[in-house]
Amino acid sequence: IFISVGSWKDVFVMLQYDYIYHGWKNRILDWNLLGNLILTGLENINTCNLVKKYLPQIKARSKCTTIESEADTAIAKYLCHKMFGDESLSNGKYYSKYRKMKSSGTAHSWQQLISKREFDRIDFNKIHGRALSLLVRSKFLKNHGLVDKYNAWITKPETKDVKYTGFVHELFQPCEKYYSLVSMPNHEQETINKQFSTLVKKAGEKPLTKYIVVRDTSGSMGSQAKGCNMSSNSIAKALALYFSEFLTGAFSHSWIEFNRQAKLHYWKGNSPLEKWYNDHTSAVGNTNFMSVIDLFVQIKAQGVPEKDFPEGILCISDGEFDKTQISDTNVNAAKILLLRAGFSQYYVDNFVIVLWNIPNGFYHGNSNTKFETYETNIPNVFYLGGYSASIISFLSGKVKNARELFDEAMNQEILNLVEL
């Protein structure tokens, strides 16, 4: 179960933590059990190469300059003797076998080539998405004279689906470093654009969502988001760009900004990065959520038919809304205003409001209740959080309120295997 929801790497991390915090003599995990699990993974043809990739190296004592490297060597030696022999036998012989066995794996062939300094033999197609992204952003390509080779590969028309497995906002981290598109190296631009396109394609031909992103651009959103090195504003911007790819009609490739007032924006540019750099909104002002509903009313008054409106909104914010003028929550006031403006009862009853929290440290824990309320039985009002765009998939139309959304999220095959 643990590997199914995480990865093989997590098993080795657990062993490392045990050694670091408790020492060899006071280990608290069952190393024999975990060792047997690792051996089982090595014996399975479907997992052996992946396990070999994460096997720690055996280093000389003089090379173990950190507690982490000391822990990894201890784990490797333990596994080495468990695989190949008794601790009373010659260590050198078994350590050599261990190293050969680890190097025989194919899941990390590009890393093996790097360790052998055979840089010209690296096949960029075989580097998984997150590693490729990190490699391109580093000085590795430049330091080893690989920029031209990589640039030729990434710009080929045949190089279309460039894998990526991280969060959407992580793709745009280099934009925090390069203040204009022209200052970003071409091979970095091509990598980001193609990996972003791959993420969009992965969602499938069916639109991922018919909801428009409503992006909070109030002052607090400029603060660093928790658990990463980007602001809440930048994360919301990345998600707005991503979800805009699935809108059609009058609202195609659009998003809504709100702080003191709400504005409808259309992304401008021929590539994801061009669109990113052409957006010059900044985090200022307060958080007037009701201005979004005012904007819907204005657009309707301009003659846009109700059938062309988004079916709901993905409100990406840090959750600190201004109070309404009718002594009610923003959610309830929004539906009242939509009805008064002439939207049909059917549209309002089915209008989805997703309140998506991107937490930061702006309020230092002294904030109000996020989004004013966490009522779980309001129809078509849902609460989400975190940085993964994929969580929107739970809003499949089956769930009707926040309580049902939670139950649906917990009703997964892997989670049902867990016993407390």
Side-chain angles (χ1 to χ4, degrees):
I1 294 173
F2 192 89
I3 293 168
S4 297
V5 297
S7 76
W8 279 99
K9 180 182 178 181
D10 296 326
V11 176
F12 295 100
V13 172
M14 285 197 299
L15 292 172
Q16 186 190 70
Y17 283 170
D18 195 14
Y19 182 93
I20 290 173
Y21 290 102
H22 305 112
W24 179 258
K25 292 183 179 179
N26 297 315
R27 293 168 293 158
I28 62 173
L29 294 178
D30 188 336
W31 282 49
N32 184 57
L33 178 68
L34 291 173
N36 288 337
L37 173 64
I38 292 168
L39 291 185
T40 301
L42 288 170
E43 292 171 357
N44 187 322
I45 191 172
N46 297 314
T47 59
C48 62
N49 288 311
L50 194 57
V51 178
K52 288 176 184 178
K53 173 182 177 179
Y54 293 119
L55 285 174
Q57 294 181 340
I58 296 176
K59 294 183 178 180
R61 187 172 299 178
S62 61
K63 300 291 185 180
C64 296
T65 56
T66 65
I67 185 63
E68 289 80 11
S69 60
E70 180 185 323
D72 286 343
T73 297
I75 296 166
K77 288 182 177 179
Y78 173 82
L79 293 174
C80 179
H81 290 295
K82 192 171 183 64
M83 292 175 194
F84 301 120
D86 192 288
E87 290 191 16
S88 63
L89 301 177
S90 169
N91 287 335
K93 179 179 179 181
Y94 295 110
Y95 295 170
S96 177
K97 280 188 174 183
Y98 177 89
R99 291 188 179 99
K100 289 180 180 178
M101 184 270 299
K102 175 174 171 56
S103 64
S104 68
T106 59
H108 58 320
S109 58
W110 61 275
Q111 291 171 307
Q112 294 171 347
L113 292 172
I114 289 175
S115 66
K116 296 175 183 177
R117 305 191 66 79
E118 297 177 2
F119 306 117
D120 290 338
R121 294 181 56 203
I122 295 175
D123 183 351
F124 297 114
N125 279 303
K126 294 183 178 179
I127 303 178
H128 64 80
R130 188 187 288 269
L132 184 69
S133 180
L134 293 173
L135 202 69
V136 170
R137 294 179 201 174
S138 71
K139 297 180 180 179
F140 176 82
L141 297 176
K142 182 179 179 180
N143 289 346
H144 299 292
L146 295 173
V147 173
D148 290 342
K149 178 182 177 182
Y150 180 81
N151 204 42
W153 173 77
I154 194 65
T155 56
K156 283 195 306 185
E158 296 83 4
T159 307
K160 294 180 180 179
D161 297 326
V162 183
K163 299 176 184 177
Y164 188 70
T165 53
F167 298 127
V168 177
H169 70 267
E170 291 175 323
L171 280 175
F172 296 95
Q173 276 184 333
C175 299
E176 309 280 303
K177 173 184 175 183
Y178 300 108
Y179 295 104
S180 67
L181 186 57
V182 294
S183 63
M184 183 183 294
N186 182 70
H187 64 278
E188 285 196 49
Q189 293 184 36
E190 289 290 333
T191 304
I192 294 171
N193 287 330
K194 290 192 174 182
Q195 288 190 322
F196 180 87
S197 297
T198 300
L199 283 180
V200 173
K201 289 178 185 177
K202 279 175 63 178
E205 295 181 1
K206 183 180 179 181
L208 183 65
T209 176
K210 296 181 180 178
Y211 311 143
I212 190 170
V213 167
V214 171
R215 180 178 148 208
D216 178 1
T217 56
S218 63
S220 60
M221 290 290 284
S223 299
Q224 182 173 321
K226 293 185 177 180
C228 68
N229 58 3
M230 294 179 73
S231 67
S232 295
N233 187 47
S234 293
I235 293 172
K237 180 176 178 176
L239 289 170
L241 179 55
Y242 176 72
F243 285 117
S244 71
E245 294 286 328
F246 306 101
L247 294 174
T248 58
F251 292 87
S252 178
H253 298 285
S254 69
W255 61 282
I256 294 174
E257 169 193 15
F258 78 102
N259 44 62
R260 294 186 186 93
Q261 290 183 311
K263 300 176 184 177
L264 178 66
H265 294 275
Y266 291 90
W267 296 103
K268 298 176 181 178
N270 297 317
S271 70
L273 276 176
E274 284 184 11
K275 294 174 182 178
W276 180 278
Y277 279 104
N278 285 331
D279 169 37
H280 302 291
T281 54
S282 57
V284 294
N286 53 323
T287 316
N288 182 11
F289 175 80
M290 290 306 297
S291 68
V292 176
I293 308 304
D294 292 336
L295 179 63
F296 267 63
V297 173
Q298 293 170 20
I299 295 172
K300 189 175 190 302
Q302 292 168 2
V304 176
E306 182 179 291
K307 64 181 179 62
D308 290 343
F309 274 79
E311 296 178 0
I313 59 175
L314 297 174
C315 178
I316 303 178
S317 167
D318 58 4
E320 301 295 327
F321 287 171
D322 295 352
K323 298 296 183 183
T324 68
Q325 296 179 352
I326 62 172
S327 301
D328 207 335
T329 64
N330 277 272
V331 166
N332 292 334
K335 300 212 170 190
I336 292 171
L337 186 57
L338 287 172
L339 279 172
R340 287 178 180 174
F343 283 90
S344 69
Q345 186 72 53
Y346 177 83
Y347 180 82
V348 175
D349 286 346
N350 291 278
F351 187 72
V352 173
I353 298 178
V354 177
L355 302 174
W356 189 327
N357 185 35
I358 303 293
N360 56 51
F362 182 83
Y363 296 95
H364 306 289
N366 297 319
S367 60
N368 299 317
T369 302
K370 294 295 181 183
F371 301 117
E372 304 173 313
T373 176
Y374 276 128
E375 293 181 59
T376 61
N377 59 352
I378 303 177
N380 292 317
V381 176
F382 305 98
Y383 305 96
L384 298 177
Y387 307 141
S388 174
S390 64
I391 57 176
I392 198 69
S393 61
F394 286 111
L395 302 178
S396 58
K398 298 178 182 178
V399 295
K400 301 302 181 184
N401 55 48
R403 176 70 243 182
E404 291 183 11
L405 173 63
F406 176 82
D407 292 339
E408 179 72 13
M410 293 297 101
N411 186 27
Q412 299 181 50
E413 181 182 1
I414 193 67
L415 294 180
N416 290 332
L417 292 173
V418 177
E419 297 181 3
L420 299 178

